[in-house]
Amino acid sequence: MYLVQRDGVWLASRYRKPGEKPISHESDEHLARKERVAKDSEDHGFHADIESQTADGHARLDVRINGANGIVLGYEPQLSTQTARGMRAREGFRRRGGIQSVWDFADPDHAGIGTVPYVRTPNLPASVIRVQKNPIAVQDGNSVLEEGQCSQNGTLTRCPEKPYDPENPTDAGYCGGWHRVLVPAHQSSTFTGKGRLTLTRFIVEAAADERIPFQRGGHHGWLPAQQWQQYLEVNGPASDDKERQSSVRQGDGATDAPRIVRLRRCGLSRSRDVVAAQSSLSPAPRETEAAKVPVDTPGQAIPLCRFGCGQPASLPGPEGLPEHFSCRRKHEA
């Protein structure tokens, strides 16, 4: 919807005439973030467009950045409150449109944190954001690879392969082996607070395919591409990818494929076809098998329609014979 002015009156409209400009309801801080990221991307050799629509028309990107290796990066500052379900839906539109999204949150308690590929930056005024020499720190969403011995004196805080025991929260659960785990950068053993990752550097590296989004245990984040490969070398494919694979057992195809059964509900003011998916994977009955006679609730056989459609009809017509209303209309026509 647009808010447009026509004959001195402000009106809400889905369309606007040539020359009419919509009134933006975005905050100045939101606009400043878009302008800053677009300028920084252009300065580093990546073309950026503000307010660009996806090819399928299902989503509008705040900033579209054409990256390396065919990457299309969508920068989405999100300063308003949203639900996790809504964020997942919006991310789904972008992902299906071939967009690699970067959601930028300022609220540490925003429902989108971890739900979508994100970063978290400070809540700064627009006047500070627009000054390109002012660094904008990435406070969360960026992870690093942590490797070390799983012992009390090692770098890992607890064994990643041992489940957490809520009845014994102080149990560190060290196994003595070596692990490679993903941890938030600000919680890693090498974090000192100096030389923190900035939003400009993050966007440039993501556009250059040097930093990639990942999903592990249902949580989204970002990681240097090389570290993600090192992580997979030890831990194997992401469990989230395995869960996306089909869980249907393998069979001969002809008998194991889900079947569609067409049912007909009778006795209504008009005929209505109801399509139901048969969830059972048992083989379909052979044509040589005798068809079961349909029965009503008391167990009595339901007679067939008098007009010869071959389907059972539980209600009688004006002549007292079983029929379908739709069959009668066809017969009278």
Side-chain angles (χ1 to χ4, degrees):
M1 299 291 291
Y2 297 100
L3 188 63
V4 298
Q5 188 179 39
R6 293 176 181 167
D7 299 327
V9 180
W10 290 108
L11 301 172
S13 174
R14 292 188 180 275
Y15 307 96
R16 62 180 190 267
K17 298 177 182 178
E20 290 181 332
K21 294 184 178 181
I23 300 299
S24 174
H25 295 281
E26 298 176 339
S27 65
D28 198 25
E29 288 75 16
H30 184 97
L31 294 172
R33 288 174 184 266
K34 296 195 301 184
E35 295 168 2
R36 171 68 180 270
V37 167
K39 290 179 181 178
D40 289 344
S41 301
E42 291 280 356
D43 290 347
H44 287 81
F46 297 107
H47 178 71
D49 291 313
I50 295 179
E51 294 295 329
S52 175
Q53 200 166 13
T54 57
D56 57 11
H58 291 162
R60 178 175 290 274
L61 309 179
D62 281 335
V63 182
R64 176 192 176 99
I65 305 168
N66 296 328
N69 302 325
I71 292 177
V72 179
L73 204 65
Y75 173 70
E76 307 289 341
Q78 188 62 56
L79 304 182
S80 61
T81 303
Q82 298 285 336
T83 64
R85 180 179 181 180
M87 294 302 304
R88 283 192 291 266
R90 296 173 65 186
E91 168 63 15
F93 285 129
R94 286 156 175 78
R95 185 174 60 252
R96 288 188 290 272
I99 306 300
Q100 191 166 287
S101 302
V102 181
W103 295 90
D104 185 4
F105 303 110
D107 181 5
D109 298 321
H110 197 286
I113 289 182
T115 305
V116 293
Y118 77 102
V119 293
R120 184 169 62 85
T121 57
N123 190 8
L124 301 173
S127 58
V128 175
I129 296 174
R130 285 193 171 96
V131 180
Q132 285 185 279
K133 66 179 181 180
N134 290 335
I136 303 175
V138 172
Q139 298 176 320
D140 194 9
N142 174 56
S143 296
V144 294
L145 182 68
E146 192 90 287
E147 181 178 15
Q149 187 175 10
C150 188
S151 65
Q152 188 172 2
N153 298 325
T155 57
L156 304 183
T157 57
R158 63 173 291 106
C159 179
E161 298 179 356
K162 185 176 181 180
Y164 173 74
D165 184 5
E167 298 182 357
N168 189 14
T170 60
D171 180 25
Y174 299 112
C175 69
W178 286 80
H179 300 292
R180 286 180 181 176
V181 298
L182 303 179
V183 298
H186 63 279
Q187 296 179 2
S188 66
S189 59
T190 58
F191 179 74
T192 62
K194 297 181 180 179
R196 298 187 64 169
L197 180 66
T198 65
L199 181 61
T200 299
R201 177 184 166 191
F202 174 87
I203 293 295
V204 171
E205 290 182 354
D209 202 18
E210 298 175 0
R211 195 173 296 272
I212 61 174
F214 71 91
Q215 182 180 4
R216 201 68 171 183
H219 187 87
H220 290 263
W222 289 82
L223 187 76
Q226 185 177 5
Q227 293 188 17
W228 176 244
Q229 294 301 323
Q230 294 173 353
Y231 176 83
L232 293 181
E233 288 175 1
V234 174
N235 298 279
S239 58
D240 301 87
D241 294 335
K242 295 179 181 178
E243 293 173 359
R244 297 191 190 102
Q245 296 178 0
S246 174
S247 59
V248 178
R249 62 184 176 89
Q250 298 295 327
D252 60 4
T255 58
D256 285 348
R259 300 191 304 276
I260 301 298
V261 181
R262 185 170 298 276
L263 307 176
R264 184 176 297 277
R265 297 177 59 186
C266 304
L268 303 177
S269 60
R270 58 185 177 86
S271 65
R272 185 178 301 170
D273 289 339
V274 181
V275 179
Q278 184 177 10
S279 58
S280 173
L281 295 180
S282 57
R286 298 180 182 273
E287 295 180 358
T288 57
E289 296 177 353
K292 294 182 179 180
V293 178
V295 295
D296 55 17
T297 303
Q300 301 296 324
I302 302 176
L304 300 180
C305 176
R306 62 178 291 224
F307 294 110
C309 70
Q311 298 294 328
S314 58
L315 295 181
E319 295 83 3
L321 299 176
E323 65 177 43
H324 300 122
F325 177 72
S326 59
C327 292
R328 169 174 282 277
R329 292 186 61 182
K330 293 178 181 178
H331 178 74
E332 293 176 348

